[in-house]
Amino acid sequence: MAAEDVVRDGPGKAFMICNEAIVRGAIEADVKVISEYPGSPTTEILDTLSEVSPKFDYKMEISINEKVALETCAGASMVGLRSMTAMKSVGMNVASDSFFSLSYTGVKGGMVIVMADDPHAHSSQSEQDGRSFGPNAYIPMLEPSDPVEAKMMVKRAFALSEKYGVPVMMRTTTRVNHQSGIVELEKLDRKPFQKMPWTHPPGRFVTVAESARNFKRDMLERTKKIEEEFESSDLNTVRETGSDIGLVTSGAGFNYAVDAAKILGIEPSILKLGTTYPLPKKLIGSFLKKLKTVIIVEELQPYLELHVTAIAKDANPNVKIFGKWTGHFSESLEYNSNIVVDAMAKILGLRPPVDYNAIMAKAKELKKGLEDRPPTFCPGCPHRATLYALRQATKGMKHILSTDIGCYSMSTLDPINYGDSLLSMGASLGVAAGMQYGAQEKVIAMIGDSTFWHAGMPGLVNAIHHNDDFTLVILDNEVTAMTGQQPDPGRNYNAGGQPAKPLVLEDVIKGMGLTDITIVDPYQVKAAIGPIKEALSRKGPNVIISRRACALYADRNKRRKGEAILTNKVDKDVCKRPYTCIRDFYCPALSIDDSDRKALITKELCDRCDVCAKLCPFGSIKLREGE
């Protein structure tokens, strides 16, 4: 079990995914304060730290959002404690206001910020390249390629942070975060948690006016010193082969580049950059001098390509540089070894040993006729029932739906196809405020409870203050469901099951001055339609809270209590094949039996939310008993 390996004292070895290795590195580095908001691909960092927290003395919060998480860690590090936060790159957008100022003020105790990009947008609304945060904020940036490097870099990042009094960012990507490997476990030499005296003079961490200008001067000097250190850092590696062909790469790109070179049977020199800000310009220049051809392998934006090209102007103006600007690599989606093989083969005039394009074309041909399988709500998900009730309540009503980030984002996909805008966490309210000024249609905003706590409250305050005419639907499923059922401020526990003070949504909203609140249970789907319709008929701002626990979270709690998870079945003698359950509700537990063309409920999938039973006009869906 990975958690057992994370807490096991060293020396030894363990098989871990990179996120677990990052946790182990932080624990070995004696981290004392942790604050995070969940978000893939870094969620396992939060979950693992939360799971093992009873074994250690660090203080941990599952924060309301990334900005507060970063600020919590900043405050602890200002005192002198080591702290760490982790987030995805769009989470860094939320935290960036304080992030940029924190680079000015610096810290005392080591502070590490793990930031993960998501090429291919597997679980994000954009393929944002977060590497721009490092140079824009003058904050050092390290970039691992595998779990071994990640664990080592976390520890080095804490030391670097304390040496220069600056937070250190470790940038990862989805394929690195979820990569597995064998990690060396070093001895756990942790000191007891102890509060420290505030030893700083007044205004030490205040950046304004003259102090901001002084901080900027010091920040530039600090960056020069760090760059000089990075010139000889073993975090950067050079493999000289005597070839006049060289690869410059980092992170996941290094893994693809090494594989591609082996597949093509070539041995280029390779510069692997582990310190991607500040870049070691002298090291890069020295590497370029001996080469005729350089290939830059990096996902997303041409960050390395830009800087390598600039350095080459003086170091070796005759070297030919190939990358995104030459059209050989794409700025979109993630890479794999096949993509890099094809690009390198074209650059070098080689013939790939395998025609990957032909294989992909054949695969595409074989897929013809197969149904698409878009992401869908889990069986029993209350959001599916809420959306059904909302669409029934709005029949004949022209309206716009401004939706948000969460499981319910899938409402915009087949087969539901419901939703008109989706930007970022909490944006549904601000967008709805603008829509209600210009649109003739009724405006509805939709947001989950965790996203409301994260970034939705300012939008509601704004709507109340300006008397905006839209209805807000809050989907209260009790947890941050999409990332693994982590607790949000509505729960009475926090990381590691520690007790916490729960906040009640409707009480908070009433405290804002809004009393027009309608609460429905989506499992009572037909009973919910009327109140929703009535609420929508009133001028806003007003709020509908659809409250029912996430199905997976509810099942987990049932198992903990030893309760049975019941399922439904279709009474074939009663079913008249209206397909209301399938056509109107889209639950993946429902299908059509090929033998009689009647509805069929898969026992292993059904969660017995009973919504389909309430929708069946013939009452053919019943409790499965004694099977």
Side-chain angles (χ1 to χ4, degrees), residues 80-200:
L81 299 176
R82 287 190 165 185
S83 69
M84 186 177 81
T85 186
M87 62 193 71
K88 61 200 300 180
S89 53
V90 289
M92 181 59 83
N93 295 341
V94 179
S96 62
D97 194 4
S98 294
F99 176 77
F100 280 86
S101 296
L102 187 60
S103 178
Y104 272 56
T105 66
V107 293
K108 180 182 178 183
M111 179 177 173
V112 175
I113 303 165
V114 180
M115 186 212 67
D117 283 335
D118 189 20
H120 202 84
H122 291 285
S123 58
S124 307
Q125 63 267 40
S126 68
E127 285 190 316
Q128 179 176 318
D129 193 327
R131 288 178 295 178
S132 60
F133 281 112
N136 284 347
Y138 296 91
I139 281 183
M141 182 167 61
L142 310 181
E143 192 166 346
S145 293
D146 56 46
V148 174
E149 284 188 345
K151 173 180 170 292
M152 177 264 291
M153 282 187 179
V154 167
K155 299 179 72 172
R156 297 281 284 277
F158 276 113
L160 187 70
S161 173
E162 289 176 352
K163 181 177 180 179
Y164 292 101
V166 60
V168 175
M169 185 167 73
M170 189 168 80
R171 185 254 187 175
T172 59
T173 58
T174 300
R175 295 300 179 188
V176 173
N177 287 99
H178 295 157
Q179 185 185 153
S180 300
I182 297 175
V183 176
E184 292 283 345
L185 304 180
E186 298 171 70
K187 186 168 180 59
L188 294 176
D189 184 19
R190 295 182 59 85
K191 299 178 179 63
F193 186 96
Q194 188 174 348
K195 289 192 174 186
M196 305 175 71
W198 183 264
T199 58
H200 310 293

Side-chain angles (χ1 to χ4, degrees), residues 397-428:
M397 177 193 300
K398 291 183 178 181
H399 65 286
I400 309 171
L401 179 63
S402 173
T403 188
D404 224 295
I405 303 295
C407 294
Y408 46 93
S409 303
M410 292 187 292
S411 71
T412 60
L413 306 176
D414 288 335
I416 299 176
N417 296 313
Y418 189 36
D420 297 294
S421 71
L422 191 157
L423 291 182
S424 64
M425 292 193 71
S428 60

Side-chain angles (χ1 to χ4, degrees), residues 3 51 53 78 81 116-117 123 134-135 138 144 149 173 185 205 240 256 345 389 412 478 518 522 536 626:
E51 184 177 356
S53 61
M78 287 173 182
L81 299 176
D117 283 335
S123 58
Y138 296 91
E149 284 188 345
T173 58
L185 304 180
F205 295 99
E240 296 278 8
Y256 303 137
T412 60
E478 299 189 8
T518 302
L536 293 173

